[in-house]
Amino acid sequence: MDLISVVSGLLPYVKYSVVILIILFVGYFVYRKFFYKQYPIRLSTFVCITLLICWAVVVVGITTLSRPANFTGQVNISLFSGYINAWNKWSLFELQLIIFNMVMFMPLGALLPLLHKKNRLFWRVLVLSLVVTLSLEVFQLLSGKGIFELDDLLHNTVGSLAGYFFMMGIIEVIKQRKLKLAPVVRAIAIPLSFAVLFGIAAIVYEVQEFGNMPFKPAQKQSMEQVHVQLETTLFDQKAGACIYYNEDIRNKKVIKDIAHSIAKQFQLQQVGGLRRESENLSFAFVDAEGTNYSLSYSITNGTWDWYTDHLDENPSPADIKQQRQLIEDWLKKESLLPSEAIYQQQDERTIRWDLAKPENRQTACEDFSEGMIIATLSHQQKPESLFYMISNNEMVAKEPIISQKDAYEALVNGEFSLFNPLQKGDTLTITDVQLTYAYDTKGYYRPVYEFTGSVNDPDFVVAITIDAMQ
């Protein structure tokens, strides 16, 4: 999520709010002319009520109405799971969600004291904020358009209180006609506390040797009444494993350089700037004929793909020899094609280059590259798509790892997550375990155990990853 995405999501509901605002103000002037003497309502009170209605439209729209009903019955009562998730992934996206949930409710806390003097009491604003955000969470749960989360309840309430303290500071300064330290401190206390918290987390993260493992769960998988059946042999010996480093992971300069090179090579015009959506960075392009192209880079593994949304339904044959040469020349010029890559033609429009997998990453302890490049050709002098999945890994250290049995104990204790969580009565059957590798959030390629098996049905295959360096 970036600023453009947030604004794009808010814009439709802001438009509705503006329409409501205009209608209410027109209605107010009619009321002032015909009914004010019988039923007097101050303009300030009316403005506060109107702004609260507009705020409610935007909040309900962005949190429920804009979503499909895909979350039926989902509840997350693990407090602070959002912080753990943001830490494990070291993700700006997850951090933005926390901040956005607080900022979204600041208008509520700021407007309540202006609505009525009784709302200048802390406990009253606290209760009203809890009631409003709890109602929203229950509505999301019942409608299936969101997850009931304690973290959201916390952040929405804290955001409302931040708005309350800020507005009360302004009211106090206006009332006393001079600036005092106490109301200023109260006004900035909540945002300052979170700034300190995030700052400490950033310092801790920077001084630790390796990054965090993104696949680690924010909350443990509940293994209560889940039957785990082991159908493979586990070894108890501990060993050491090589650690590698990939400088392309989470490196914005990499994708910016590729974007510049692609635009120059294929004569494209860049549209807008760098965008972020979850764990992907992206650029948009257009050619002279108006065809749109996109470049998407995954910060988690350093791979990227370039593609067009305009596909030929009846494509004419591509000049494979010529286009292969053009692509190869460009990849070599940008040092993107290793000399040991093996070329092959996959079909009449698809070509690829493959690198052999290293025999034993755990003990070889040598620099290596792995992966592939796949290009789908077109009748134009540029490919329809190009998928770049080559990673260059530099050996940096050797570290002790836990045994397979230790990793299995972590699995039995629920130290993993699945897209579809296990339920009471499920049978998890483990049929194999392998030592493999995964990137952490600093770009280190670290050993992990991957348990494969099934849930209830042999056809319902699952893979569970456990950190081998616990």
Side-chain angles (χ1 to χ4, degrees):
M1 182 194 300
D2 55 18
L3 183 59
I4 296 176
S5 301
V6 172
V7 172
S8 298
L10 288 173
L11 193 57
Y13 301 101
V14 171
K15 290 179 180 178
Y16 297 147
S17 293
V18 171
V19 172
I20 292 172
L21 185 68
I22 294 171
I23 292 173
L24 289 176
F25 266 96
V26 170
Y28 181 76
F29 287 117
V30 172
Y31 151 80
R32 289 277 297 187
K33 187 169 184 177
F34 297 105
F35 305 103
Y36 181 76
K37 292 182 178 180
Q38 291 179 300
Y39 310 101
I41 299 177
R42 290 186 303 171
L43 178 61
S44 59
T45 302
F46 170 78
V47 170
C48 286
I49 294 173
T50 300
L51 291 178
L52 282 171
I53 292 173
C54 293
W55 168 82
V57 170
V58 173
V59 169
V60 173
I62 196 68
T63 59
T64 57
L65 301 181
S66 62
R67 299 173 177 177
N70 294 336
F71 305 93
T72 306
Q74 293 190 32
V75 176
N76 179 9
I77 58 173
S78 178
L79 197 58
F80 305 122
S81 61
Y83 297 91
I84 299 172
N85 202 33
W87 170 259
N88 288 341
K89 295 182 178 180
W90 195 244
S91 170
L92 179 62
F93 174 74
E94 300 293 337
L95 181 60
Q96 284 176 329
L97 290 179
I98 293 173
I99 296 173
F100 181 69
N101 274 322
M102 289 189 287
V103 171
M104 183 171 59
F105 267 70
M106 286 181 67
L108 175 64
L111 289 171
L112 285 175
L114 300 178
L115 182 63
H116 200 284
K117 287 186 178 181
K118 288 183 178 180
N119 294 336
R120 295 180 183 180
L121 297 173
F122 171 78
W123 68 267
R124 188 177 178 89
V125 174
L126 174 62
V127 171
L128 288 172
S129 300
L130 280 170
V131 169
V132 172
T133 187
L134 182 61
S135 300
L136 182 62
E137 292 298 308
V138 171
F139 178 67
Q140 287 180 324
L141 177 66
L142 297 178
S143 65
K145 293 194 172 187
I147 301 172
F148 184 99
E149 295 188 89
L150 282 185
D151 270 6
D152 285 352
L153 191 65
L154 169 67
H155 295 141
N156 294 161
T157 304
V158 169
S160 180
L161 293 178
Y164 162 76
F165 286 126
F166 182 78
M167 183 56 67
M168 288 303 297
I170 294 175
I171 292 173
E172 207 164 326
V173 168
I174 294 174
K175 185 178 179 180
Q176 298 182 6
R177 295 188 177 181
K178 59 181 178 180
L179 190 64
K180 287 190 174 182
L181 182 62
V184 173
V185 170
R186 286 195 294 269
I188 65 173
I190 290 178
L192 184 60
S193 299
F194 278 90
V196 170
L197 174 65
F198 296 147
I200 292 173
I203 293 172
V204 172
Y205 179 80
E206 287 300 320
V207 299
Q208 67 184 20
E209 183 177 5
F210 300 113
N212 305 327
M213 298 305 276
F215 59 80
K216 285 192 172 181
Q219 56 181 330
K220 287 185 177 182
Q221 161 69 55
S222 174
M223 301 300 286
E224 184 181 355
Q225 297 183 24
V226 172
H227 176 61
V228 182
Q229 187 171 313
L230 183 63
E231 295 184 354
T232 187
T233 302
L234 300 177
F235 297 102
D236 196 25
Q237 69 268 26
K238 297 177 174 62
C242 309
I243 311 296
Y244 303 89
Y245 178 70
N246 186 336
E247 63 179 8
D248 293 342
I249 304 297
R250 296 175 181 259
N251 190 340
K252 286 185 179 180
K253 185 178 183 303
V254 171
I255 191 62
K256 288 180 179 179
D257 290 345
I258 292 171
H260 176 75
S261 179
I262 283 179
K264 183 178 179 180
Q265 175 69 21
F266 301 113
Q267 300 178 349
L268 303 174
Q269 180 67 40
Q270 186 175 315
V271 180
L274 181 66
R275 296 284 305 275
R276 175 156 187 168
E277 185 62 40
S278 186
E279 303 306 311
N280 293 318
L281 304 177
S282 64
F283 283 99
F285 305 90
V286 63
D287 65 12
E289 288 76 34
T291 303
N292 296 316
Y293 292 84
S294 299
L295 173 66
S296 180
Y297 164 84
S298 172
I299 66 173
T300 57
N301 57 26
T303 64
W304 51 269
D305 55 276
W306 177 76
Y307 56 92
T308 177
D309 59 2
H310 179 71
L311 303 178
D312 292 336
E313 295 182 3
N314 299 300
S316 56
D319 188 335
I320 291 180
K321 184 177 180 181
Q322 182 185 32
Q323 290 197 43
R324 172 196 171 183
Q325 192 61 51
L326 288 171
I327 295 172
E328 278 192 348
D329 289 345
W330 172 65
L331 290 171
K332 288 177 180 178
K333 183 180 70 173
E334 299 297 332
S335 301
L336 295 172
L337 183 63
S339 58
E340 64 271 24
I342 301 171
Y343 168 81
Q344 63 174 306
Q345 181 179 335
Q346 189 165 307
D347 56 41
E348 61 181 8
R349 297 182 64 232
T350 307
I351 58 176
R352 61 187 293 164
W353 296 263
D354 292 271
L355 291 175
K357 289 186 177 181
E359 291 185 3
N360 195 333
R361 289 173 292 191
Q362 178 185 349
T363 57
C365 295
E366 296 178 349
D367 299 352
F368 71 93
S369 298
E370 63 179 350
M372 68 187 75
I373 305 171
I374 302 177
T376 303
L377 308 179
S378 69
H379 65 279
Q380 299 177 340
Q381 293 302 309
K382 48 181 171 281
E384 197 172 81
S385 64
L386 181 64
F387 296 90
Y388 189 88
M389 293 166 277
I390 288 180
S391 59
N392 301 304
N393 304 283
E394 174 191 1
M395 189 274 174
V396 293
K398 190 169 185 177
E399 297 288 332
I401 60 173
I402 62 176
S403 68
Q404 291 181 351
K405 285 189 176 180
D406 291 335
Y408 179 73
E409 286 300 317
L411 183 152
V412 172
N413 289 332
E415 297 175 19
F416 65 92
S417 61
L418 289 174
F419 183 77
N420 295 310
L422 299 175
Q423 306 295 326
K424 291 181 180 180
D426 283 346
T427 297
L428 172 63
T429 303
I430 301 298
T431 56
D432 189 31
V433 57
Q434 296 291 332
L435 185 71
T436 183
Y437 275 73
Y439 286 109
D440 70 13
T441 55
K442 286 188 176 181
Y444 289 99
Y445 206 35
R446 292 168 44 183
V448 297
Y449 284 109
E450 185 175 82
F451 291 86
T452 54
S454 60
V455 177
N456 300 329
D457 188 333
D459 293 331
F460 186 14
V461 179
V462 295
I464 296 173
T465 305
I466 302 292
D467 187 4
M469 292 175 57
Q470 289 186 352

